[in-house]
């Protein structure tokens, strides 16, 4: 049973930065892709950023140039560096990992508890 644990959220002023972390436990093998999602109040969960085995990254247009996804494959951890934060970035942030061809959260339903990010003055 894979467990995803997100951390690093908090309250930050507009223009500030946060670094989110996600630890994936329960498997001995490394995951081959990871993603971050977020869900704002009253909205559907949306894709934020992703990274695949070769290191190729992809970002939602709304965060491109401000957010950076990275990973520590050996530790099965993924990070999201968020800079120049805006109030519209306020949401609960979730991670997802792919083991083989299966996404643990979005396909298996094993979402973590998420981490709250609030951007407000």
């Amino acid at each position: 049973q894979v467990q995803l644990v997100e951390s690093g959220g908090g309250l930050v002023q507009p223009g500030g930065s946060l670094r989110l972390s996600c630890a994936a436990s329960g498997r001995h093998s490394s995951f081959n892709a990871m993603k971050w999602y977020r869900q704002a109040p009253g909205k559907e969960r949306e894709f934020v950023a992703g990274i695949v085995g070769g290191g190729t990254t992809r970002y939602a247009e709304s965060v491109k140039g401000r957010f950076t996804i990275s990973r520590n494959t050996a530790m099965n951890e993924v990070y999201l560096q968020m800079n120049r934060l805006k109030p519209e970035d306020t949401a609960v942030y979730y991670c997802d990992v792919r083991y083989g061809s299966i996404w643990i959260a979005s396909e298996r339903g094993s979402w973590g508890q998420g981490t709250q990010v609030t951007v407000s003055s």
Side-chain angles (χ1 to χ4, degrees):
Q1 183 76 18
V2 176
Q3 289 187 318
L4 301 174
V5 179
E6 301 91 347
S7 62
L11 173 63
V12 63
Q13 293 186 342
S17 298
L18 282 174
R19 185 175 186 253
L20 306 184
S21 298
C22 169
S25 62
R27 288 280 190 180
H28 295 293
S29 301
S30 297
F31 297 101
N32 54 39
M34 294 174 163
K35 292 181 183 178
W36 283 97
Y37 290 88
R38 67 186 181 187
Q39 187 168 22
K43 295 187 177 181
E44 293 189 355
R45 192 171 288 157
E46 64 175 0
F47 168 81
V48 175
I51 185 167
V52 296
T56 301
T57 57
R58 185 167 64 95
Y59 298 92
E61 284 298 320
S62 60
V63 308
K64 199 173 290 185
R66 300 187 297 121
F67 291 10
T68 303
I69 187 171
S70 61
R71 65 188 175 182
N72 182 329
T73 304
M75 297 295 292
N76 277 341
E77 294 180 348
V78 62
Y79 313 102
L80 186 68
Q81 178 66 42
M82 306 186 297
N83 298 327
R84 305 202 311 274
L85 282 160
K86 305 175 180 180
E88 50 263 44
D89 295 318
T90 295
V92 179
Y93 284 71
Y94 301 88
C95 65
D96 195 3
V97 299
R98 188 176 69 192
Y99 179 76
S101 61
I102 302 296
W103 288 95
I104 298 302
S106 56
E107 293 182 354
R108 286 271 177 88
S110 298
W111 294 96
Q113 83 290 348
T115 186
Q116 175 71 49
V117 172
T118 302
V119 185
S120 175
S121 55

